[in-house]
Amino acid sequence: MDIELARTFLEIVSTGSFIKAAERLHVGQTTVSARVRLLEQQLGRPLFVRNKAGASLTPAGEQFLRFAPSFVQLWQRARQQVAVPAGHRAVLTVGSEVSLWQPLLLNWVRRMRRSHSDIALRVHVDVPQDLITHVAAGIVDIAIMYAPQHRPGLKIDLVMEEELVLVTTDPKADSLDTSRYVLVEWGQEFSLHHDVAYPETTPTLVTNLGPLALNYVLLEGGAGYFRRHAVKPHLISGELHVVPGAPKFSFPIYAVHSANVDEATLTSALGALREVSTAEVTE
């Protein structure tokens, strides 16, 4: 498929209009219409219903919308890989879940830049569902994740065993203060163990983003479960305190990558990742 057909399709979906899509693409409306007709011929289904309000998707169009962004992204990825910057031997796209970018992803990127300066990097941070899809599609080469889904063609390696600990801004606290507790949704396994440990707890503030919850607790006071290495600086400074006797929960972190990644580049990236993860554990 001509990638311009997919681009044109996405522009029409984005703008809701053939005319506006033509303006964005800097082509004539007849060109946009011709591209859509060709795409519909290739797929064997009409994709749009045109009306006075603009253009809306048919059921077939809705289905194609699930795949079109991946086509465009994969093409861009291929162009980037072919166009390796001068003085570099490869381009590697590394990624992580939002909750893991600080400090693990940051330290990983810093180590790669220092020890493998001949590898150009692209860094991608996303939610778990989209991140694993990007790895499976080849848009991201290798990513660090918590509890990744198993998919055909992907390899999953354990990087480190993290620990979630209950911390608070109250130095005198000896138990969980439910009135100021921020619950972070760290995943299914955490939720199961958390519900067993705190069956009567009904938090009034819940989030699925660890850094957001941590910053809130630091600014407003309160308590929450966070990765030990993420809160370590705040424990040292006295801003936070581990609640004595509170349950601790395992939080394993994995590296997910496709079997199609260049072996030498992958080995360099995994080696650097293990170095920074080991440094975090031993600090």
Side-chain angles (χ1 to χ4, degrees), residues 174-211:
D174 57 4
S175 61
L176 176 62
D177 180 0
T178 56
S179 66
R180 306 183 70 197
Y181 178 51
V182 180
L183 175 60
V184 182
E185 296 176 328
W186 289 109
Q188 263 190 336
E189 187 173 347
F190 169 77
S191 295
L192 290 173
H193 292 300
H194 183 275
D195 290 347
V196 171
Y198 302 102
E200 305 299 325
T201 300
T202 307
T204 58
L205 180 55
V206 180
T207 177
N208 64 347
L209 184 57

PDB file of all heavy atoms in Angstrom, residues 174-211:
ATOM      1  N   ASP A 174       2.517   5.303  62.430  1.00  0.00           N
ATOM      2  CA  ASP A 174       2.906   3.907  62.631  1.00  0.00           C
ATOM      3  C   ASP A 174       1.909   2.952  61.972  1.00  0.00           C
ATOM      4  O   ASP A 174       1.970   1.739  62.178  1.00  0.00           O
ATOM      5  CB  ASP A 174       3.027   3.584  64.126  1.00  0.00           C
ATOM      6  CG  ASP A 174       1.738   3.881  64.894  1.00  0.00           C
ATOM      7  OD1 ASP A 174       0.741   4.257  64.256  1.00  0.00           O
ATOM      8  OD2 ASP A 174       1.750   3.727  66.127  1.00  0.00           O
ATOM      9  N   SER A 175       0.989   3.505  61.197  1.00  0.00           N
ATOM     10  CA  SER A 175       0.018   2.690  60.460  1.00  0.00           C
ATOM     11  C   SER A 175      -0.504   3.514  59.280  1.00  0.00           C
ATOM     12  O   SER A 175      -0.170   4.693  59.130  1.00  0.00           O
ATOM     13  CB  SER A 175      -1.137   2.260  61.360  1.00  0.00           C
ATOM     14  OG  SER A 175      -1.825   3.397  61.854  1.00  0.00           O
ATOM     15  N   LEU A 176      -1.332   2.896  58.457  1.00  0.00           N
ATOM     16  CA  LEU A 176      -1.871   3.575  57.290  1.00  0.00           C
ATOM     17  C   LEU A 176      -2.979   4.544  57.694  1.00  0.00           C
ATOM     18  O   LEU A 176      -3.975   4.151  58.294  1.00  0.00           O
ATOM     19  CB  LEU A 176      -2.421   2.553  56.297  1.00  0.00           C
ATOM     20  CG  LEU A 176      -3.106   3.123  55.050  1.00  0.00           C
ATOM     21  CD1 LEU A 176      -2.113   3.928  54.229  1.00  0.00           C
ATOM     22  CD2 LEU A 176      -3.716   2.008  54.217  1.00  0.00           C
ATOM     23  N   ASP A 177      -2.795   5.827  57.354  1.00  0.00           N
ATOM     24  CA  ASP A 177      -3.816   6.850  57.595  1.00  0.00           C
ATOM     25  C   ASP A 177      -4.687   6.920  56.343  1.00  0.00           C
ATOM     26  O   ASP A 177      -4.323   7.542  55.348  1.00  0.00           O
ATOM     27  CB  ASP A 177      -3.154   8.207  57.864  1.00  0.00           C
ATOM     28  CG  ASP A 177      -4.173   9.309  58.126  1.00  0.00           C
ATOM     29  OD1 ASP A 177      -5.386   9.024  58.109  1.00  0.00           O
ATOM     30  OD2 ASP A 177      -3.742  10.455  58.346  1.00  0.00           O
ATOM     31  N   THR A 178      -5.838   6.249  56.382  1.00  0.00           N
ATOM     32  CA  THR A 178      -6.685   6.141  55.191  1.00  0.00           C
ATOM     33  C   THR A 178      -7.243   7.484  54.728  1.00  0.00           C
ATOM     34  O   THR A 178      -7.571   7.654  53.556  1.00  0.00           O
ATOM     35  CB  THR A 178      -7.859   5.180  55.446  1.00  0.00           C
ATOM     36  OG1 THR A 178      -8.597   5.624  56.599  1.00  0.00           O
ATOM     37  CG2 THR A 178      -7.339   3.768  55.718  1.00  0.00           C
ATOM     38  N   SER A 179      -7.344   8.454  55.628  1.00  0.00           N
ATOM     39  CA  SER A 179      -7.911   9.747  55.253  1.00  0.00           C
ATOM     40  C   SER A 179      -6.978  10.535  54.334  1.00  0.00           C
ATOM     41  O   SER A 179      -7.433  11.424  53.611  1.00  0.00           O
ATOM     42  CB  SER A 179      -8.221  10.569  56.511  1.00  0.00           C
ATOM     43  OG  SER A 179      -7.022  10.909  57.197  1.00  0.00           O
ATOM     44  N   ARG A 180      -5.679  10.209  54.342  1.00  0.00           N
ATOM     45  CA  ARG A 180      -4.713  10.941  53.517  1.00  0.00           C
ATOM     46  C   ARG A 180      -3.948   9.992  52.586  1.00  0.00           C
ATOM     47  O   ARG A 180      -2.884  10.329  52.090  1.00  0.00           O
ATOM     48  CB  ARG A 180      -3.728  11.705  54.410  1.00  0.00           C
ATOM     49  CG  ARG A 180      -4.382  12.637  55.432  1.00  0.00           C
ATOM     50  CD  ARG A 180      -3.346  13.397  56.216  1.00  0.00           C
ATOM     51  NE  ARG A 180      -2.675  14.391  55.390  1.00  0.00           N
ATOM     52  CZ  ARG A 180      -1.514  14.962  55.723  1.00  0.00           C
ATOM     53  NH1 ARG A 180      -0.879  14.605  56.830  1.00  0.00           N
ATOM     54  NH2 ARG A 180      -0.975  15.870  54.937  1.00  0.00           N
ATOM     55  N   TYR A 181      -4.565   8.853  52.344  1.00  0.00           N
ATOM     56  CA  TYR A 181      -3.896   7.825  51.546  1.00  0.00           C
ATOM     57  C   TYR A 181      -4.207   7.999  50.061  1.00  0.00           C
ATOM     58  O   TYR A 181      -5.352   8.160  49.659  1.00  0.00           O
ATOM     59  CB  TYR A 181      -4.368   6.442  52.003  1.00  0.00           C
ATOM     60  CG  TYR A 181      -3.788   5.279  51.229  1.00  0.00           C
ATOM     61  CD1 TYR A 181      -2.410   5.166  51.028  1.00  0.00           C
ATOM     62  CD2 TYR A 181      -4.612   4.288  50.715  1.00  0.00           C
ATOM     63  CE1 TYR A 181      -1.874   4.092  50.336  1.00  0.00           C
ATOM     64  CE2 TYR A 181      -4.093   3.206  50.024  1.00  0.00           C
ATOM     65  CZ  TYR A 181      -2.723   3.118  49.836  1.00  0.00           C
ATOM     66  OH  TYR A 181      -2.201   2.053  49.149  1.00  0.00           O
ATOM     67  N   VAL A 182      -3.154   7.979  49.237  1.00  0.00           N
ATOM     68  CA  VAL A 182      -3.297   8.033  47.783  1.00  0.00           C
ATOM     69  C   VAL A 182      -2.997   6.632  47.240  1.00  0.00           C
ATOM     70  O   VAL A 182      -1.882   6.126  47.388  1.00  0.00           O
ATOM     71  CB  VAL A 182      -2.323   9.053  47.159  1.00  0.00           C
ATOM     72  CG1 VAL A 182      -2.499   9.081  45.640  1.00  0.00           C
ATOM     73  CG2 VAL A 182      -2.554  10.439  47.754  1.00  0.00           C
ATOM     74  N   LEU A 183      -4.001   6.025  46.632  1.00  0.00           N
ATOM     75  CA  LEU A 183      -3.820   4.677  46.094  1.00  0.00           C
ATOM     76  C   LEU A 183      -3.330   4.746  44.651  1.00  0.00           C
ATOM     77  O   LEU A 183      -3.983   5.347  43.792  1.00  0.00           O
ATOM     78  CB  LEU A 183      -5.137   3.897  46.144  1.00  0.00           C
ATOM     79  CG  LEU A 183      -5.121   2.505  45.487  1.00  0.00           C
ATOM     80  CD1 LEU A 183      -4.090   1.592  46.158  1.00  0.00           C
ATOM     81  CD2 LEU A 183      -6.509   1.884  45.512  1.00  0.00           C
ATOM     82  N   VAL A 184      -2.186   4.141  44.397  1.00  0.00           N
ATOM     83  CA  VAL A 184      -1.648   4.052  43.037  1.00  0.00           C
ATOM     84  C   VAL A 184      -1.987   2.666  42.494  1.00  0.00           C
ATOM     85  O   VAL A 184      -1.709   1.656  43.139  1.00  0.00           O
ATOM     86  CB  VAL A 184      -0.120   4.260  43.015  1.00  0.00           C
ATOM     87  CG1 VAL A 184       0.393   4.207  41.583  1.00  0.00           C
ATOM     88  CG2 VAL A 184       0.247   5.581  43.667  1.00  0.00           C
ATOM     89  N   GLU A 185      -2.569   2.627  41.317  1.00  0.00           N
ATOM     90  CA  GLU A 185      -2.924   1.349  40.697  1.00  0.00           C
ATOM     91  C   GLU A 185      -1.700   0.794  39.978  1.00  0.00           C
ATOM     92  O   GLU A 185      -1.458   1.082  38.805  1.00  0.00           O
ATOM     93  CB  GLU A 185      -4.094   1.546  39.730  1.00  0.00           C
ATOM     94  CG  GLU A 185      -5.377   1.997  40.430  1.00  0.00           C
ATOM     95  CD  GLU A 185      -6.498   2.284  39.458  1.00  0.00           C
ATOM     96  OE1 GLU A 185      -6.199   2.738  38.328  1.00  0.00           O
ATOM     97  OE2 GLU A 185      -7.661   2.083  39.825  1.00  0.00           O
ATOM     98  N   TRP A 186      -0.937  -0.008  40.682  1.00  0.00           N
ATOM     99  CA  TRP A 186       0.320  -0.532  40.148  1.00  0.00           C
ATOM    100  C   TRP A 186       0.129  -1.783  39.303  1.00  0.00           C
ATOM    101  O   TRP A 186       1.100  -2.371  38.835  1.00  0.00           O
ATOM    102  CB  TRP A 186       1.285  -0.836  41.285  1.00  0.00           C
ATOM    103  CG  TRP A 186       1.843   0.382  41.957  1.00  0.00           C
ATOM    104  CD1 TRP A 186       1.554   0.847  43.206  1.00  0.00           C
ATOM    105  CD2 TRP A 186       2.800   1.308  41.427  1.00  0.00           C
ATOM    106  NE1 TRP A 186       2.258   1.988  43.475  1.00  0.00           N
ATOM    107  CE2 TRP A 186       3.037   2.300  42.408  1.00  0.00           C
ATOM    108  CE3 TRP A 186       3.480   1.399  40.206  1.00  0.00           C
ATOM    109  CZ2 TRP A 186       3.926   3.354  42.216  1.00  0.00           C
ATOM    110  CZ3 TRP A 186       4.365   2.449  40.012  1.00  0.00           C
ATOM    111  CH2 TRP A 186       4.580   3.410  41.008  1.00  0.00           C
ATOM    112  N   GLY A 187      -1.099  -2.223  39.121  1.00  0.00           N
ATOM    113  CA  GLY A 187      -1.349  -3.415  38.314  1.00  0.00           C
ATOM    114  C   GLY A 187      -2.175  -4.435  39.059  1.00  0.00           C
ATOM    115  O   GLY A 187      -2.465  -4.304  40.257  1.00  0.00           O
ATOM    116  N   GLN A 188      -2.571  -5.499  38.331  1.00  0.00           N
ATOM    117  CA  GLN A 188      -3.470  -6.499  38.891  1.00  0.00           C
ATOM    118  C   GLN A 188      -2.884  -7.210  40.099  1.00  0.00           C
ATOM    119  O   GLN A 188      -3.558  -7.403  41.111  1.00  0.00           O
ATOM    120  CB  GLN A 188      -3.814  -7.542  37.817  1.00  0.00           C
ATOM    121  CG  GLN A 188      -5.144  -7.257  37.133  1.00  0.00           C
ATOM    122  CD  GLN A 188      -5.578  -8.409  36.255  1.00  0.00           C
ATOM    123  OE1 GLN A 188      -4.755  -9.198  35.793  1.00  0.00           O
ATOM    124  NE2 GLN A 188      -6.862  -8.506  36.010  1.00  0.00           N
ATOM    125  N   GLU A 189      -1.627  -7.628  39.987  1.00  0.00           N
ATOM    126  CA  GLU A 189      -1.018  -8.388  41.079  1.00  0.00           C
ATOM    127  C   GLU A 189      -0.941  -7.550  42.352  1.00  0.00           C
ATOM    128  O   GLU A 189      -1.255  -8.023  43.445  1.00  0.00           O
ATOM    129  CB  GLU A 189       0.381  -8.859  40.676  1.00  0.00           C
ATOM    130  CG  GLU A 189       1.009  -9.794  41.700  1.00  0.00           C
ATOM    131  CD  GLU A 189       2.316 -10.389  41.208  1.00  0.00           C
ATOM    132  OE1 GLU A 189       2.614 -10.278  40.003  1.00  0.00           O
ATOM    133  OE2 GLU A 189       3.042 -10.957  42.050  1.00  0.00           O
ATOM    134  N   PHE A 190      -0.543  -6.280  42.199  1.00  0.00           N
ATOM    135  CA  PHE A 190      -0.499  -5.385  43.357  1.00  0.00           C
ATOM    136  C   PHE A 190      -1.886  -5.228  43.961  1.00  0.00           C
ATOM    137  O   PHE A 190      -2.049  -5.278  45.193  1.00  0.00           O
ATOM    138  CB  PHE A 190       0.050  -4.023  42.947  1.00  0.00           C
ATOM    139  CG  PHE A 190      -0.116  -2.960  44.009  1.00  0.00           C
ATOM    140  CD1 PHE A 190       0.713  -2.919  45.117  1.00  0.00           C
ATOM    141  CD2 PHE A 190      -1.123  -2.007  43.896  1.00  0.00           C
ATOM    142  CE1 PHE A 190       0.550  -1.949  46.098  1.00  0.00           C
ATOM    143  CE2 PHE A 190      -1.282  -1.031  44.860  1.00  0.00           C
ATOM    144  CZ  PHE A 190      -0.450  -0.999  45.967  1.00  0.00           C
ATOM    145  N   SER A 191      -2.903  -5.046  43.128  1.00  0.00           N
ATOM    146  CA  SER A 191      -4.263  -4.847  43.621  1.00  0.00           C
ATOM    147  C   SER A 191      -4.740  -6.039  44.441  1.00  0.00           C
ATOM    148  O   SER A 191      -5.383  -5.868  45.486  1.00  0.00           O
ATOM    149  CB  SER A 191      -5.224  -4.602  42.453  1.00  0.00           C
ATOM    150  OG  SER A 191      -4.905  -3.398  41.791  1.00  0.00           O
ATOM    151  N   LEU A 192      -4.416  -7.245  43.973  1.00  0.00           N
ATOM    152  CA  LEU A 192      -4.829  -8.448  44.706  1.00  0.00           C
ATOM    153  C   LEU A 192      -4.199  -8.486  46.094  1.00  0.00           C
ATOM    154  O   LEU A 192      -4.885  -8.706  47.101  1.00  0.00           O
ATOM    155  CB  LEU A 192      -4.439  -9.696  43.911  1.00  0.00           C
ATOM    156  CG  LEU A 192      -5.225  -9.962  42.625  1.00  0.00           C
ATOM    157  CD1 LEU A 192      -4.617 -11.122  41.855  1.00  0.00           C
ATOM    158  CD2 LEU A 192      -6.688 -10.256  42.953  1.00  0.00           C
ATOM    159  N   HIS A 193      -2.882  -8.261  46.154  1.00  0.00           N
ATOM    160  CA  HIS A 193      -2.192  -8.304  47.441  1.00  0.00           C
ATOM    161  C   HIS A 193      -2.619  -7.132  48.336  1.00  0.00           C
ATOM    162  O   HIS A 193      -2.745  -7.279  49.562  1.00  0.00           O
ATOM    163  CB  HIS A 193      -0.679  -8.281  47.222  1.00  0.00           C
ATOM    164  CG  HIS A 193      -0.150  -9.522  46.574  1.00  0.00           C
ATOM    165  ND1 HIS A 193      -0.288 -10.773  47.134  1.00  0.00           N
ATOM    166  CD2 HIS A 193       0.516  -9.711  45.403  1.00  0.00           C
ATOM    167  CE1 HIS A 193       0.270 -11.679  46.353  1.00  0.00           C
ATOM    168  NE2 HIS A 193       0.749 -11.050  45.290  1.00  0.00           N
ATOM    169  N   HIS A 194      -2.843  -5.971  47.720  1.00  0.00           N
ATOM    170  CA  HIS A 194      -3.242  -4.789  48.480  1.00  0.00           C
ATOM    171  C   HIS A 194      -4.612  -4.998  49.127  1.00  0.00           C
ATOM    172  O   HIS A 194      -4.830  -4.635  50.283  1.00  0.00           O
ATOM    173  CB  HIS A 194      -3.272  -3.572  47.551  1.00  0.00           C
ATOM    174  CG  HIS A 194      -3.595  -2.289  48.239  1.00  0.00           C
ATOM    175  ND1 HIS A 194      -4.898  -1.873  48.470  1.00  0.00           N
ATOM    176  CD2 HIS A 194      -2.803  -1.306  48.756  1.00  0.00           C
ATOM    177  CE1 HIS A 194      -4.892  -0.720  49.091  1.00  0.00           C
ATOM    178  NE2 HIS A 194      -3.632  -0.351  49.269  1.00  0.00           N
ATOM    179  N   ASP A 195      -5.540  -5.594  48.373  1.00  0.00           N
ATOM    180  CA  ASP A 195      -6.884  -5.828  48.898  1.00  0.00           C
ATOM    181  C   ASP A 195      -6.870  -6.808  50.060  1.00  0.00           C
ATOM    182  O   ASP A 195      -7.680  -6.695  50.990  1.00  0.00           O
ATOM    183  CB  ASP A 195      -7.798  -6.360  47.786  1.00  0.00           C
ATOM    184  CG  ASP A 195      -8.111  -5.296  46.742  1.00  0.00           C
ATOM    185  OD1 ASP A 195      -7.840  -4.109  47.009  1.00  0.00           O
ATOM    186  OD2 ASP A 195      -8.603  -5.663  45.663  1.00  0.00           O
ATOM    187  N   VAL A 196      -5.944  -7.777  50.006  1.00  0.00           N
ATOM    188  CA  VAL A 196      -5.818  -8.728  51.119  1.00  0.00           C
ATOM    189  C   VAL A 196      -5.246  -8.031  52.346  1.00  0.00           C
ATOM    190  O   VAL A 196      -5.702  -8.234  53.471  1.00  0.00           O
ATOM    191  CB  VAL A 196      -4.921  -9.919  50.718  1.00  0.00           C
ATOM    192  CG1 VAL A 196      -4.608 -10.794  51.925  1.00  0.00           C
ATOM    193  CG2 VAL A 196      -5.602 -10.740  49.626  1.00  0.00           C
ATOM    194  N   ALA A 197      -4.241  -7.171  52.139  1.00  0.00           N
ATOM    195  CA  ALA A 197      -3.589  -6.480  53.264  1.00  0.00           C
ATOM    196  C   ALA A 197      -4.472  -5.386  53.863  1.00  0.00           C
ATOM    197  O   ALA A 197      -4.440  -5.150  55.075  1.00  0.00           O
ATOM    198  CB  ALA A 197      -2.261  -5.885  52.801  1.00  0.00           C
ATOM    199  N   TYR A 198      -5.266  -4.717  53.007  1.00  0.00           N
ATOM    200  CA  TYR A 198      -6.102  -3.599  53.470  1.00  0.00           C
ATOM    201  C   TYR A 198      -7.545  -3.781  52.978  1.00  0.00           C
ATOM    202  O   TYR A 198      -8.032  -3.016  52.128  1.00  0.00           O
ATOM    203  CB  TYR A 198      -5.543  -2.268  52.959  1.00  0.00           C
ATOM    204  CG  TYR A 198      -4.115  -1.996  53.374  1.00  0.00           C
ATOM    205  CD1 TYR A 198      -3.072  -2.186  52.466  1.00  0.00           C
ATOM    206  CD2 TYR A 198      -3.809  -1.551  54.651  1.00  0.00           C
ATOM    207  CE1 TYR A 198      -1.755  -1.937  52.834  1.00  0.00           C
ATOM    208  CE2 TYR A 198      -2.496  -1.306  55.033  1.00  0.00           C
ATOM    209  CZ  TYR A 198      -1.477  -1.502  54.116  1.00  0.00           C
ATOM    210  OH  TYR A 198      -0.175  -1.254  54.483  1.00  0.00           O
ATOM    211  N   PRO A 199      -8.251  -4.799  53.484  1.00  0.00           N
ATOM    212  CA  PRO A 199      -9.591  -5.103  52.963  1.00  0.00           C
ATOM    213  C   PRO A 199     -10.636  -4.021  53.219  1.00  0.00           C
ATOM    214  O   PRO A 199     -11.611  -3.919  52.482  1.00  0.00           O
ATOM    215  CB  PRO A 199      -9.955  -6.401  53.694  1.00  0.00           C
ATOM    216  CG  PRO A 199      -9.140  -6.370  54.945  1.00  0.00           C
ATOM    217  CD  PRO A 199      -7.851  -5.707  54.567  1.00  0.00           C
ATOM    218  N   GLU A 200     -10.457  -3.213  54.234  1.00  0.00           N
ATOM    219  CA  GLU A 200     -11.461  -2.205  54.584  1.00  0.00           C
ATOM    220  C   GLU A 200     -11.105  -0.808  54.079  1.00  0.00           C
ATOM    221  O   GLU A 200     -11.825   0.152  54.353  1.00  0.00           O
ATOM    222  CB  GLU A 200     -11.627  -2.152  56.111  1.00  0.00           C
ATOM    223  CG  GLU A 200     -11.972  -3.487  56.753  1.00  0.00           C
ATOM    224  CD  GLU A 200     -13.282  -4.047  56.238  1.00  0.00           C
ATOM    225  OE1 GLU A 200     -14.199  -3.246  55.966  1.00  0.00           O
ATOM    226  OE2 GLU A 200     -13.388  -5.279  56.081  1.00  0.00           O
ATOM    227  N   THR A 201     -10.015  -0.700  53.328  1.00  0.00           N
ATOM    228  CA  THR A 201      -9.568   0.623  52.873  1.00  0.00           C
ATOM    229  C   THR A 201     -10.323   1.069  51.619  1.00  0.00           C
ATOM    230  O   THR A 201     -10.388   0.330  50.634  1.00  0.00           O
ATOM    231  CB  THR A 201      -8.058   0.599  52.571  1.00  0.00           C
ATOM    232  OG1 THR A 201      -7.355   0.232  53.760  1.00  0.00           O
ATOM    233  CG2 THR A 201      -7.577   1.969  52.116  1.00  0.00           C
ATOM    234  N   THR A 202     -10.891   2.279  51.675  1.00  0.00           N
ATOM    235  CA  THR A 202     -11.566   2.875  50.520  1.00  0.00           C
ATOM    236  C   THR A 202     -10.978   4.258  50.291  1.00  0.00           C
ATOM    237  O   THR A 202     -11.476   5.257  50.830  1.00  0.00           O
ATOM    238  CB  THR A 202     -13.087   2.978  50.748  1.00  0.00           C
ATOM    239  OG1 THR A 202     -13.602   1.699  51.130  1.00  0.00           O
ATOM    240  CG2 THR A 202     -13.779   3.446  49.471  1.00  0.00           C
ATOM    241  N   PRO A 203      -9.901   4.359  49.504  1.00  0.00           N
ATOM    242  CA  PRO A 203      -9.234   5.657  49.294  1.00  0.00           C
ATOM    243  C   PRO A 203     -10.142   6.654  48.575  1.00  0.00           C
ATOM    244  O   PRO A 203     -10.981   6.271  47.757  1.00  0.00           O
ATOM    245  CB  PRO A 203      -8.024   5.293  48.428  1.00  0.00           C
ATOM    246  CG  PRO A 203      -7.883   3.815  48.552  1.00  0.00           C
ATOM    247  CD  PRO A 203      -9.249   3.275  48.775  1.00  0.00           C
ATOM    248  N   THR A 204      -9.951   7.917  48.869  1.00  0.00           N
ATOM    249  CA  THR A 204     -10.713   8.966  48.194  1.00  0.00           C
ATOM    250  C   THR A 204      -9.933   9.582  47.038  1.00  0.00           C
ATOM    251  O   THR A 204     -10.450  10.424  46.315  1.00  0.00           O
ATOM    252  CB  THR A 204     -11.088  10.077  49.187  1.00  0.00           C
ATOM    253  OG1 THR A 204      -9.897  10.608  49.779  1.00  0.00           O
ATOM    254  CG2 THR A 204     -11.996   9.532  50.290  1.00  0.00           C
ATOM    255  N   LEU A 205      -8.677   9.165  46.887  1.00  0.00           N
ATOM    256  CA  LEU A 205      -7.857   9.625  45.764  1.00  0.00           C
ATOM    257  C   LEU A 205      -7.120   8.432  45.176  1.00  0.00           C
ATOM    258  O   LEU A 205      -6.328   7.785  45.866  1.00  0.00           O
ATOM    259  CB  LEU A 205      -6.858  10.696  46.223  1.00  0.00           C
ATOM    260  CG  LEU A 205      -5.925  11.271  45.139  1.00  0.00           C
ATOM    261  CD1 LEU A 205      -6.724  11.819  43.960  1.00  0.00           C
ATOM    262  CD2 LEU A 205      -5.014  12.353  45.730  1.00  0.00           C
ATOM    263  N   VAL A 206      -7.410   8.143  43.903  1.00  0.00           N
ATOM    264  CA  VAL A 206      -6.817   6.992  43.217  1.00  0.00           C
ATOM    265  C   VAL A 206      -6.236   7.466  41.888  1.00  0.00           C
ATOM    266  O   VAL A 206      -6.844   8.278  41.188  1.00  0.00           O
ATOM    267  CB  VAL A 206      -7.872   5.892  42.952  1.00  0.00           C
ATOM    268  CG1 VAL A 206      -7.233   4.695  42.247  1.00  0.00           C
ATOM    269  CG2 VAL A 206      -8.543   5.459  44.251  1.00  0.00           C
ATOM    270  N   THR A 207      -5.044   6.964  41.532  1.00  0.00           N
ATOM    271  CA  THR A 207      -4.437   7.310  40.249  1.00  0.00           C
ATOM    272  C   THR A 207      -3.665   6.111  39.724  1.00  0.00           C
ATOM    273  O   THR A 207      -3.240   5.242  40.499  1.00  0.00           O
ATOM    274  CB  THR A 207      -3.489   8.519  40.384  1.00  0.00           C
ATOM    275  OG1 THR A 207      -2.856   8.770  39.117  1.00  0.00           O
ATOM    276  CG2 THR A 207      -2.411   8.268  41.415  1.00  0.00           C
ATOM    277  N   ASN A 208      -3.480   6.065  38.406  1.00  0.00           N
ATOM    278  CA  ASN A 208      -2.674   4.994  37.811  1.00  0.00           C
ATOM    279  C   ASN A 208      -1.281   5.471  37.445  1.00  0.00           C
ATOM    280  O   ASN A 208      -0.555   4.783  36.748  1.00  0.00           O
ATOM    281  CB  ASN A 208      -3.374   4.429  36.573  1.00  0.00           C
ATOM    282  CG  ASN A 208      -3.502   5.446  35.462  1.00  0.00           C
ATOM    283  OD1 ASN A 208      -3.285   6.646  35.675  1.00  0.00           O
ATOM    284  ND2 ASN A 208      -3.849   4.992  34.271  1.00  0.00           N
ATOM    285  N   LEU A 209      -0.911   6.661  37.916  1.00  0.00           N
ATOM    286  CA  LEU A 209       0.391   7.241  37.570  1.00  0.00           C
ATOM    287  C   LEU A 209       1.196   7.507  38.844  1.00  0.00           C
ATOM    288  O   LEU A 209       0.891   8.423  39.610  1.00  0.00           O
ATOM    289  CB  LEU A 209       0.185   8.531  36.785  1.00  0.00           C
ATOM    290  CG  LEU A 209       1.442   9.223  36.258  1.00  0.00           C
ATOM    291  CD1 LEU A 209       2.246   8.280  35.373  1.00  0.00           C
ATOM    292  CD2 LEU A 209       1.068  10.476  35.487  1.00  0.00           C
ATOM    293  N   GLY A 210       2.228   6.683  39.057  1.00  0.00           N
ATOM    294  CA  GLY A 210       3.041   6.798  40.262  1.00  0.00           C
ATOM    295  C   GLY A 210       3.681   8.152  40.470  1.00  0.00           C
ATOM    296  O   GLY A 210       3.590   8.723  41.556  1.00  0.00           O
ATOM    297  N   PRO A 211       4.367   8.735  39.456  1.00  0.00           N
ATOM    298  CA  PRO A 211       5.002  10.047  39.652  1.00  0.00           C
ATOM    299  C   PRO A 211       4.009  11.136  40.038  1.00  0.00           C
ATOM    300  O   PRO A 211       4.330  12.022  40.829  1.00  0.00           O
ATOM    301  CB  PRO A 211       5.636  10.320  38.279  1.00  0.00           C
ATOM    302  CG  PRO A 211       5.894   8.968  37.705  1.00  0.00           C
ATOM    303  CD  PRO A 211       4.745   8.127  38.152  1.00  0.00           C
TER     304      PRO A 211
END
